[in-house]
Each structure stands twice: as C-alpha cells, then as structure tokens.
C-alpha cells in the first residue's frame, strides 16, 4: 500500500509543478530518517527554491491518504500519511492481493538452473535455482507474464565425459546403463564416475582425444556414445527435477541443446553471422581453421577482457572449432535469437513431466511434437541466471545479437549474475575432504564437480530435514507423524532458501552446515516462527471465543485507530504498520535492482519488529476492547504480509514449529 501513496505523491507533485511553474521535473521521493519527519519526502524544491517549496506545501491539492504536508530543512517537502487510513487499506489489500496479466501481455523469459545432465546437483546449483525461482515469483507478483526455462546441455563436454566414464572406465553397455537408470540415485553414481574421468585423463593425456570423438558422435546423434548420452542425460534431468521439486521449484520448458543442432537452429544462426560478417574463418595463429567472432568492436566484450589484449587470437572468441563442432557460446547465440523470436524457426514440443498441482512441464524434441503445445519463446526481455564467472560468454552472446543488428534485443538480454557458493574449510573437513595446509587456511574452498568436491543438494536437504525433524519431534511428540514430517520439511526448505537468498548476488557464500542449520538470528525459521506466533494469537482467541471471526478485523475504526496512533505507543505501532505495508515497495526495488535479497532482508526486519511488538503487548489479556482489536489488526496485517513475503522467497509458513 505504501508504494500506492508514494505514486500518488509523485503524480500530484509533477502535475502541480507543471501547472504552476511550467516545468517538468523528475520527482524523487525518499523515506525520512526519523518517523516524526513523515513517511515520504522529496528534495525536488532544492531544484526550484525555498519559496516555491512553501508555495507547494500550502497550495498542493489534497492527496488521498496524506494527512498533511510540511516544509523541512532548506527545501524538503515532507508528507505525513493518514495512519488509520493506511492501516485500513493495507488490511484490505493484504486480504485481496492478486496479480494478473493479459494472455497477450509482453512476455519475459527467465532461464535458470541449467545443470549439466551428467551428475547430481550440488549446493552451487541450488543458489542458481533458488535465485531464479525467487526472481520469477517477484516478476509475477509485479504483474509480469513469465516463462521459466531450464536449458539442458545434453550434447556438451560434461555429458561426453560421463559417457567416456561409462564406456571406458565402468565398461558398461547401453543396455546395462538402462538397468542402472532405474536404480535409486543414479545421479550419485554418475557423480563419482564423472570425478573418476578426471583421473582417467590425467593418467594418459592421449585419452583426451576421446572427448572430441565422443562429442562429435553425440552432436550427430549416431553411434553407441550418442545412444549412451540419450539414456544418461534424460535420466539425470529427472533426478534434478525431483531435487528441485523438494524446494518448490518448477519450470515451463526444457529447451535441449540437441534440438538446436538437429533442427538446424545453429545452421540458421551461423548463416546469419556469416552474412553479416560477424564471424570469420581464422587462417593463421592458434585459432586456424576455427570460425571466430572478433570482440574488439563490442563494448560488452571490451569490458570483459581487459587492457593490453590486442592480439587477434586474444581478441577472438571461437564459435566453431576446427573439427566442425560448435562451442557452447555458438549454440547459445542461436538459442538467444530463438528466445526473442528472431530466428524464423521453432522447436517441436512434447510433455515431459506433470507437477503435483497439475502444471505441465514441456521439453523440446526433434521429431514431430504435440500439436497442442503452448507457444514458447518470443520474449520482450530475457534474463539468463548464470554465475558471474560466465560474464564474458554472456557478453559474447550479446555481442552476437548486436553484430546481427538486434541492438534493442541485446539491451534486453540481461545477465542475472551471482557469485559462487563455496565451502568453509570446516564444512569440507566434515565431508571428509583432505585439504592441503594452504586450502585449510582459506576463508572458503571452491566446489569442484570434476574433483567430486561439493555438497550434493539432496544430501544437504536430507541433513536439514533430519535436523528439523529432531526439533519438531521434541516439541510436538503428540502431533501425527505425517504432520511432523511436513513441518520439518517446511522448516528445512525455509532454512536453506533463506540462507541462499539473504546474501546479495555479488557476495560469495561460504556454506557451512552449522550456519545453515541454525534456527536463530537472520534465518528462515526465525521468520517462519514470527508467523506461527501471530497465528497462535488467533488460534487461542478462537479457542476462547467460538464466535470470533477473523474477517471482522478487516474493518478499522478510524477514530480509535487514530487515537491509538497518537498515544505514547503510537509511533511504535505506526512503524510496525508502515513496515508491514511496505512489502510492495520492497518488491518493486528487488525487481528493479534484480536483487531478491531485498525481500529476504525485509522479511527478517518485519519478523524482528513483530517479535518486539509481541513481547511488549499482551494482546489476548488486553482489557480495552478497542485497543485489543487494534492490536489484533496489527498482528493480522503483519501475518499476511510476512506470509506473502515468505511465499515470494519460496518459503512455506507452517502453523506450528
């Protein structure tokens, strides 16, 4: 509700200044440092004069929801909201809030998770998926139409390496691997096998030639290696989907790299790049025989490279290798063109998975697909959730769009970057990894799939759920087993998702089991418990008064509310109400900055404020009935807004903990 009032203030100021002073001025508002200075302020009059500031304050037409306007400091105009009106409007909005969009509204695509289908997901993958999923929730809450894609690189080096592991280390046939696929945690088997491939290559460097042969076989879709890849990759994808479902993460489409090749997406993109002279065939140097894109004319690439890199080899990015295979970035250029509807081609689609609530996940296919498939792609904006180490490659993709003349689409290709998740040395030691003395002294140890170093996502979730279940069992021994399991699951997922979201995207996370399992301080369970406390108030009230109807709290008595806001506790009441009403403002800021951490921080601050309020006021034993209802209304507003904030973070709010 707060952002609605701020929007009214900005609109009123802009109209007033235009009408009286014939000026168009950008209206900036900010929150004053202290509550007694109002709820919103603007320094716009610094650009005009103190005299004009006084005129504006005295002549500005009434603004709905604003009680008064005053001048402060050398030109600030401070706005004081109607406290009772804001409480009433916020309660009503919290009960009815919903977002919708027209079916033909502009679409944005968010691509996230994108785990190579060659082994189990690890903690680093979870940061990508949780960030992407939360941003999707924020975009949808802000009224945008979003399509969620999870790109499957089923023809890449990582899949080729695990195929090498099956064929040359495990000595398995495709028929034997089909049997393995049906066994529990096939992705764990592949985790260990993939790590062993690193040692396989280290023992004999000539074996690296196998990778090129296997890659070519997989890309062409022919031979035993391709058959093996077609068994392994889909099976691992299903393992990943099960892992992500535990976190409440769903997708709309799985675009597969194999279709980019088999449906000639890359061929079409390659022809465009050659026609526009965006790529050229290197005739000398280390890139001889490769098709490369020169990056010197791209400001994006210049930002990503660095000073002194003027050699043609250094200034070029390989798009097609000398053996004819396409690099990841080449295929990604074709994929990005398709996302914007610029390629003139489309995939075929088939149903891949149905989520418990009925939502359908589709996959691309090369053969004739389902004629009833939805329309995918053709986005206005594309967000690629990929870690910061891939910034250069993302810049190459953007440079490719610009080289083809698609400047607007290049500007709407957004790299939603984030830093890595590493392990604390203590965590690595707990997992049984042997660290050298130098690594043991570092603040964190990087995860390495090739070395098998990392926390498997399902192992982490299992440990979190076990720890949460122990707490729940101790506190609620008489609660039915299935209910205790559901509560433990909610707490575990809340702990993990909040841990991954409370850090800004530019921060490296050093994961530690003790920190993640802590239910005190700035954690998901702390926020969840504030909801439980609020709900306990209403539960106890219903137990005491069978006729109590929570819907009665939606009606605010303006006179008594105004009196209570003006009492000795009034500013404290108001700060809680104002904070609770500020959720949409935080959502707007999070979407604009591409920073879900803003909403995580907001949820924690609201939970903190409510806990302080809860300890200071004995709501159920309050003898003044008007004040009791007012305190209940504040509690109801906080509960609704905190539940909404946690839902945006992908965190459930259990009824008991």
């Amino acid at each position: 509700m707060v952002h609605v009032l701020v929007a009214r203030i900005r609109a009123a100021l802009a109209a007033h200044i235009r009408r009286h002073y014939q000026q168009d001025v950008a209206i900036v508002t900010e929150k004053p440092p202290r509550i007694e200075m109002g709820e919103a302020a603007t320094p716009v009059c610094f650009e005009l004069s103190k005299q004009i500031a006084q005129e504006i304050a005295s002549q500005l037409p009434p603004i709905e929801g604003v009680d008064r306007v005053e001048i402060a400091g050398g030109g600030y105009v401070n706005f004081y909201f109607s406290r009772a009106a804001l409480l009433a409007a916020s309660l009503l909005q919290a009960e009815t809030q919903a977002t919708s969009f027209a079916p033909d509204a502009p679409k944005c695509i968010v691509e996230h998770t994108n785990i190579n289908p060659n082994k189990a997901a690890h903690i680093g993958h979870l940061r990508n998926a949780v960030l992407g999923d939360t941003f999707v929730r924020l975009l949808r809450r802000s009224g945008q139409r979003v399509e969620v894609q999870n790109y499957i690189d089923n023809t890449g080096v990582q899949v080729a390496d695990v195929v090498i592991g099956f064929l040359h280390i495990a000595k398995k046939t495709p028929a034997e691997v089909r049997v393995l696929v049906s066994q529990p945690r096939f992705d764990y088997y592949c985790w260990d096998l993939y790590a062993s491939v690193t040692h396989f290559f280290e023992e004999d460097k000539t074996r690296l030639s196998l990778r090129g042969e296997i890659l070519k076989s997989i890309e062409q879709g022919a031979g035993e290696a391709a058959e093996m890849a077609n068994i392994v990759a889909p099976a691992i994808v299903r393992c990943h989907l099960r892992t992500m479902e535990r976190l409440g993460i769903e997708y709309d489409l799985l675009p597969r790299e194999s279709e980019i090749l088999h449906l000639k997406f890359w061929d079409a993109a390659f022809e465009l790049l050659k026609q526009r002279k965006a790529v050229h065939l290197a005739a000398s140097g280390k890139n001889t025989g490769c098709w490369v894109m020169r990056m010197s004319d791209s400001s994006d690439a210049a930002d990503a490279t660095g000073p002194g890199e003027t050699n043609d080899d250094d200034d070029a990015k390989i798009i097609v290798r000398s053996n004819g295979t396409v690099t990841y970035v080449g295929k990604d250029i074709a994929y990005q063109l398709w996302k914007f509807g610029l390629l003139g081609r489309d995939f075929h689609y088939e149903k891949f998975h149905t989520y418990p609530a009925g939502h359908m996940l589709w996959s691309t296919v090369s053969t004739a697909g389902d004629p009833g498939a939805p329309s995918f792609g053709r986005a206005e904006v594309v967000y690629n959730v990929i870690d910061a180490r891939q910034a250069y490659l993302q810049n190459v993709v953007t440079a490719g769009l610009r080289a083809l003349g698609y400047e607007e689409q290049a500007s709407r290709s957004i790299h939603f970057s984030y830093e890595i998740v590493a392990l604390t040395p203590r965590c690595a030691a707990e997992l049984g990894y042997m660290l050298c003395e130098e690594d043991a002294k570092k603040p964190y140890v990087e995860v390495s799939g090739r070395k098998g170093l990392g926390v498997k996502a399902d192992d982490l979730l299992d440990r979190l759920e076990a720890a949460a279940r122990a707490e729940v069992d101790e506190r609620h021994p008489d609660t039915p087993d299935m209910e205790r399991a559901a509560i433990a699951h909610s707490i575990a997922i809340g702990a993990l998702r909040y841990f991954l979201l409370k850090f800004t995207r530019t921060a490296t996370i050093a994961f530690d089991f003790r920190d993640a399992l802590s239910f005190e301080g700035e954690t998901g369970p702390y926020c969840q418990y504030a909801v439980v406390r609020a709900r306990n108030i209403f539960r106890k009230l219903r137990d005491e008064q069978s006729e109590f109807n929570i819907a009665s709290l939606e009606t605010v008595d303006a006179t008594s509310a105004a009196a209570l806001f003006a009492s000795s506790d009034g500013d404290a009441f108001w700060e809680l109400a104002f904070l609770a009403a500020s959720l949409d403002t935080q959502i707007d800021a999070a979407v604009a900055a591409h920073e879900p951490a803003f909403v995580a921080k907001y949820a924690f601050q609201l939970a903190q404020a409510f806990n302080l309020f809860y300890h200071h006021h004995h709501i159920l034993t309050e003898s003044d009935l008007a004040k009791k209802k007012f305190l209940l209304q504040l509690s109801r507003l906080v509960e609704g807004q905190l539940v909404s904030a946690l839902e945006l973070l992908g965190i459930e709010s259990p009824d008991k903990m």
Side-chain angles (χ1 to χ4, degrees):
M1 191 62 208
V2 169
H3 80 301
V4 173
L5 291 182
V6 170
R8 288 176 189 163
I9 289 168
R10 289 175 179 167
L13 277 171
H16 183 82
I17 292 170
R18 190 180 305 112
R19 183 168 59 252
H20 290 275
Y21 306 105
Q22 293 75 52
Q23 293 188 44
D24 286 313
V25 179
I27 307 298
V28 176
T29 56
E30 55 193 60
K31 183 182 177 184
R34 298 189 305 279
I35 200 72
E36 62 266 23
M37 298 173 69
E39 288 71 54
T42 178
V44 66
C45 296
F46 285 117
E47 299 182 27
L48 302 172
S49 71
K50 292 183 182 179
Q51 179 182 353
I52 292 177
Q54 187 61 54
E55 290 176 7
I56 286 175
S58 61
Q59 297 177 14
L60 193 66
I63 300 172
E64 183 183 354
V66 176
D67 261 356
R68 68 185 193 277
V69 184
E70 294 181 359
I71 301 302
Y76 268 96
V77 180
N78 288 2
F79 297 83
Y80 293 79
F81 293 178
S82 171
R83 296 182 172 185
L86 181 76
L87 175 61
S90 298
L91 277 167
L92 183 62
Q93 184 186 54
E95 293 297 323
T96 60
Q97 60 189 0
T99 56
S100 60
F101 50 82
D104 59 347
K107 180 199 293 182
C108 60
I109 288 174
V110 178
E111 176 202 336
H112 69 80
T113 306
N114 306 350
I115 309 171
N116 289 313
N118 67 322
K119 65 181 185 305
H122 59 60
I123 180 67
H125 298 134
L126 292 186
R127 187 178 196 188
N128 181 306
V130 168
L131 276 171
D133 178 66
T134 304
F135 193 59
V136 167
R137 293 167 187 258
L138 291 169
L139 289 171
R140 286 176 172 161
R141 172 62 184 269
S142 65
Q144 298 192 48
R145 184 163 69 105
V146 186
E147 180 176 297
V148 186
Q149 298 186 4
N150 177 5
Y151 184 78
I152 307 301
D153 183 3
N154 61 340
T155 66
V157 170
Q158 288 77 12
V159 172
D161 281 358
V162 82
V163 168
I164 289 170
F166 275 114
L167 293 176
H168 296 276
I169 299 175
K171 307 292 186 183
K172 300 287 186 185
T173 65
E176 290 172 323
V177 174
R178 288 186 194 278
V179 174
L180 274 177
V181 162
S182 64
Q183 302 302 310
R185 294 199 163 173
F186 173 68
D187 51 342
Y188 278 45
Y189 180 93
C190 290
W191 173 286
D192 295 332
L193 182 62
Y194 181 65
S196 70
V197 173
T198 300
H199 302 299
F200 177 74
F201 287 144
E202 287 173 349
E203 290 170 355
D204 185 350
K205 299 294 184 184
T206 63
R207 291 170 175 168
L208 283 168
S209 62
L210 282 171
R211 183 182 284 164
E213 297 169 11
I214 297 291
L215 264 176
K216 197 155 191 175
S217 173
I218 293 172
E219 286 190 3
Q220 292 174 348
E224 186 180 42
E227 183 184 359
M228 187 76 80
N230 286 334
I231 297 167
V232 172
I236 296 293
V237 168
R238 292 193 181 277
C239 292
H240 293 165
L241 291 178
R242 285 193 291 272
T243 301
M244 297 306 156
E245 274 192 69
R246 296 180 72 180
L247 288 152
I249 297 172
E250 298 183 359
Y251 312 91
D252 300 314
L253 178 67
L254 303 176
R256 302 195 309 172
E257 190 168 276
S258 53
E259 274 70 68
I260 288 178
L261 297 170
H262 299 160
L263 294 175
K264 309 299 182 183
F265 276 33
W266 165 243
D267 291 21
F270 193 28
E271 283 306 311
L272 285 173
L273 289 166
K274 287 190 287 186
Q275 288 170 16
R276 304 289 176 87
K277 301 190 185 306
V279 295
H280 68 276
L281 185 62
S284 61
K286 66 180 182 182
N287 295 332
T288 299
C290 300
W291 284 91
V292 299
M293 179 185 293
R294 187 166 294 153
M295 305 300 295
S296 57
D297 296 331
S298 166
S299 59
D300 288 325
D303 290 341
T305 53
E309 298 187 16
T310 57
N311 183 282
D312 280 350
D313 282 343
D314 293 335
D315 188 41
K317 176 61 186 174
I318 296 174
I319 306 299
V320 181
R321 304 179 187 92
S322 58
N323 66 359
T325 58
V326 188
T327 61
Y328 165 82
V329 74
K331 288 172 277 194
D332 212 34
I333 290 172
Y335 177 36
Q336 197 78 347
L337 287 168
W338 170 81
K339 287 180 188 173
F340 283 110
L342 301 173
L343 199 62
R345 300 190 180 200
D346 200 0
F347 294 109
H348 303 299
Y349 307 95
E350 68 179 14
K351 296 173 182 176
F352 189 84
H353 177 68
T354 304
Y355 290 105
H359 176 63
M360 182 61 63
L361 171 63
W362 295 79
S363 172
T364 61
V365 289
S366 301
T367 54
D370 188 329
S375 174
F376 292 108
R378 302 177 180 86
E380 289 291 315
V381 182
V382 173
Y383 298 94
N384 294 326
V385 183
I386 301 175
D387 79 55
R389 294 171 297 181
Q390 304 300 314
Y392 174 70
L393 295 179
Q394 284 295 296
N395 286 334
V396 174
V397 173
T398 303
L401 293 182
R402 288 203 168 97
L404 291 169
Y406 298 121
E407 187 67 37
E408 287 188 17
Q409 288 82 0
S411 68
R412 297 198 297 268
S413 294
I414 299 167
H415 178 198
F416 190 100
S417 65
Y418 62 93
E419 288 296 336
I420 62 169
V421 180
L423 309 176
T424 63
R426 179 176 65 189
C427 180
E430 287 176 5
L431 290 167
Y433 297 121
M434 300 297 294
L435 302 179
C436 65
E437 186 176 347
E438 182 181 355
D439 284 343
K441 293 178 180 178
K442 291 179 179 178
Y444 58 81
V445 179
E446 287 194 33
V447 170
S448 172
R450 286 197 175 276
K451 297 177 182 178
L453 178 60
V455 181
K456 296 184 188 74
D458 282 306
D459 282 349
L460 171 59
L461 291 169
D462 290 345
R463 287 185 66 166
L464 287 168
E465 290 204 30
R469 180 63 188 265
E471 288 282 336
V472 174
D473 287 348
E474 183 177 342
R475 297 183 186 191
H476 305 284
D478 298 329
T479 299
D481 185 75
M482 286 185 64
E483 186 178 347
R484 278 182 284 138
I487 294 169
H489 174 76
S490 295
I491 294 171
I493 299 306
L496 179 58
R497 287 192 67 128
Y498 193 91
F499 181 84
L500 294 172
L501 290 167
K502 70 178 181 178
F503 300 96
T504 58
R505 293 186 294 114
T506 55
T508 296
I509 297 177
F511 178 79
D512 188 277
F513 279 113
R514 295 186 200 178
D515 293 338
L517 290 169
S518 173
F519 292 167
E520 300 297 327
E522 189 179 353
T523 67
Y526 179 88
C527 298
Q528 289 171 310
Y529 192 63
V531 175
V532 171
R533 268 189 163 157
R535 287 177 173 171
N536 280 341
I537 294 171
F538 302 117
R539 179 181 53 77
K540 290 176 182 177
L541 192 59
R542 281 191 293 269
D543 290 343
E544 295 172 4
Q545 303 174 21
S546 58
E547 74 281 4
F548 171 72
N549 181 1
I550 201 165
S552 65
L553 299 179
E554 294 176 23
T555 304
V556 175
D557 184 310
T559 302
S560 61
L564 286 161
F565 277 131
S567 68
S568 58
D569 288 325
D571 282 349
F573 292 150
W574 176 237
E575 287 184 354
L576 179 61
F578 186 75
L579 179 60
S582 299
L583 173 58
D584 284 347
T585 302
Q586 295 299 320
I587 293 170
D588 289 346
V591 170
H594 308 154
E595 187 51 85
F598 290 175
V599 177
K601 182 66 69 176
Y602 166 84
F604 174 64
Q605 290 172 342
L606 185 57
Q608 268 190 319
F610 178 73
N611 284 333
L612 186 64
F613 165 83
Y614 178 88
H615 286 299
H616 281 171
H617 301 282
H618 303 292
I619 300 171
L620 294 177
T621 57
E622 175 59 54
S623 58
D624 183 329
L625 294 182
K627 183 176 181 181
K628 183 175 183 177
K629 181 177 180 180
F630 175 80
L631 297 176
L632 287 168
Q633 286 171 326
L634 281 178
S635 300
R636 178 64 171 167
L637 176 60
V638 170
E639 180 214 356
Q641 296 295 80
L642 191 49
V643 168
S644 292
L646 291 175
E647 284 177 352
L648 289 167
L649 301 174
I651 298 172
E652 294 179 352
S653 299
D655 289 328
K656 62 175 69 171
M657 289 177 68

